[in-house]
Amino acid sequence: MADKKARLTIDGVDEVIELSVYSGTLGPDVIDVRPLTGRGLFTYDPGFVSTAACESSITYIDGDQGILLHRGYPIEQLAKHSDYLETCYLLLNGELPTAEQKEQFVNTIKNHTMVHQQMTHFFNGFRRDAHPMAIMVAVVGALSAFYHDSLDIDDPHHREVCAYRLIAKMPTIAAMCYKYSIGQPFQYPQNDLNYADNFLHMMFGTPCATYVPNPILSKAMDRIFLLHADHEQNASTSTVRLAGSSGANPFACIASGVAALWGPAHGGANEAVLQMLEEIGDEANIPEFIQRAKDPDDDFRLMGFGHRVYRNFDPRAKVMKQACDEVLAELGIENDPLLKIAKRLEQIALEDEYFVQRKLYPNVDFYSGIILKAIGIPTNMFTVIFALSRTIGWISHWSEFHSSPNKIGRPRQLYTGQKQRDYPE
Ligand code: ACO
């Protein structure tokens, strides 16, 4: 794979350092900087903006063109023809399932939807007003205390069972977080429902009122899961890979992904979008907020706009926008004041010189927040839903990492602290 060479010269060093250049099947070439370590040099790349941290064959993104492929399939085609569980199978196994394989996979997931009854006691230790992401981090990590029989990371079958458990149990745990916060009894999973409807049933059903599935909302929920399924080496996935590189157990690694996702610069953005829309409060206040977003001396940013990789319309946002329109029409709430602010904001940002020049387009979180609000999901559950959707990406990357020879992740640094000095006697 090293068909080209890069040559590096350094002031004061006679030797020209020759570095291999690798080409993937798509995307930019990468320079193999590993020989630098032996010469006492490291590369410096805070924020990993220019670093390929691993080799992967799961997901490809072209941020300039606005392309996202899972195992080669464009996200728009998956959103149109596939569904979340089929996409999970694809991400995990590399190929789309046959009809028989899909049925078997769906049934296997259904077999794992319940959580150990002992886990329900775990929730009682939390305050009712705890943020559901705080509970998620803890409960997902705690899975390792309940499912010992799938913890041998070197056994491909154990890795597979662990993936099934996570895909199946995340919606159950997510809905339990919500039910706990509002003081309602947990709803057991209902395996005759599809994945999205089962989640909505566990969220909104009660012992006295059965949740009645609505095909439009079910499809929108499934699309939200599918569109968040994976996004190559983002902050949370890189965290899962790094945690996994130490040989930590898979449930603990996924808990580290949930924690990394929580921040507003990553998965927390969908919650932050709604908070921002509420803060704006009225269309008349939009110019003031746009001005603040443009002011270099003000920390305020328009939540749901911009992306580290996409310098074009996020392809997921296009599909999400369509789903958003469908849900709002179905629920007859196109005139909701917050949604009006969102639409106006989108229009202004797409035309304003500041946003156009910096290629700050609405991202997937901008529209997913609006859909989730319309479905009736409380704002503090938005990132939880992102976490449950992204679990398949995390576990697929974790599994890929362990399927080939690997090393513990150990970045180095540019040290700018004190030189060695003596302790004052
Ligand atoms: N509002 C206003 N200005 C912005 C925004 C924004 N949302 N995003 C970037 N900018 C500006 C920056 O101030 C900077 O301007 P400058 O060149 O004049 O200094 C320029 O655009 C480049 O921004 P960076 O911070 O260098 O971009 P980076 O790639 O580091 O950040 C990020 C990407 C974190 C997503 C950023 O755009 C942001 O904070 N967006 C809002 C939060 C958000 O929606 N996050 C969700 C990401 S998608 C996901 O996780 C699924």
Side-chain angles (χ1 to χ4, degrees), residues 265-266 269 301-302 304-305 307-308 311 354 358 360 363 365:
H266 192 11
R301 285 189 165 195
L302 274 195
F305 287 81
H307 196 279
R308 168 59 63 80
R311 303 298 177 189
Y354 174 94
R358 287 169 180 73
L360 299 171
N363 58 45
D365 290 328

Side-chain angles (χ1 to χ4, degrees), residues 252-364:
C253 295
I254 300 302
S256 76
V258 178
L261 185 78
W262 194 355
H266 192 11
N270 51 15
E271 180 174 345
V273 168
L274 259 287
Q275 283 162 352
M276 177 189 73
L277 295 178
E278 275 157 12
E279 201 187 334
I280 295 175
D282 192 287
E283 280 186 76
N285 300 329
I286 292 179
E288 178 199 329
F289 281 84
I290 295 273
Q291 208 41 51
R292 282 187 60 197
K294 296 199 270 188
D295 181 352
D297 298 324
D298 190 328
D299 283 348
F300 175 78
R301 285 189 165 195
L302 274 195
M303 287 293 130
F305 287 81
H307 196 279
R308 168 59 63 80
V309 181
Y310 293 116
R311 303 298 177 189
N312 199 322
F313 224 100
D314 177 341
R316 300 168 301 170
K318 280 189 194 160
V319 181
M320 203 68 98
K321 182 172 163 50
Q322 190 195 337
C324 185
D325 291 341
E326 281 170 22
V327 168
L328 300 188
E330 166 69 13
L331 298 174
I333 52 171
E334 298 102 315
N335 293 325
D336 181 282
L338 282 195
L339 303 176
K340 276 187 158 176
I341 296 173
K343 292 213 156 165
R344 183 79 192 114
L345 207 58
E346 175 199 15
Q347 189 192 358
I348 292 176
L350 288 174
E351 289 165 1
D352 190 292
E353 189 59 16
Y354 174 94
F355 293 92
V356 173
Q357 228 178 35
R358 287 169 180 73
K359 302 185 175 168
L360 299 171
Y361 295 89
N363 58 45
V364 67

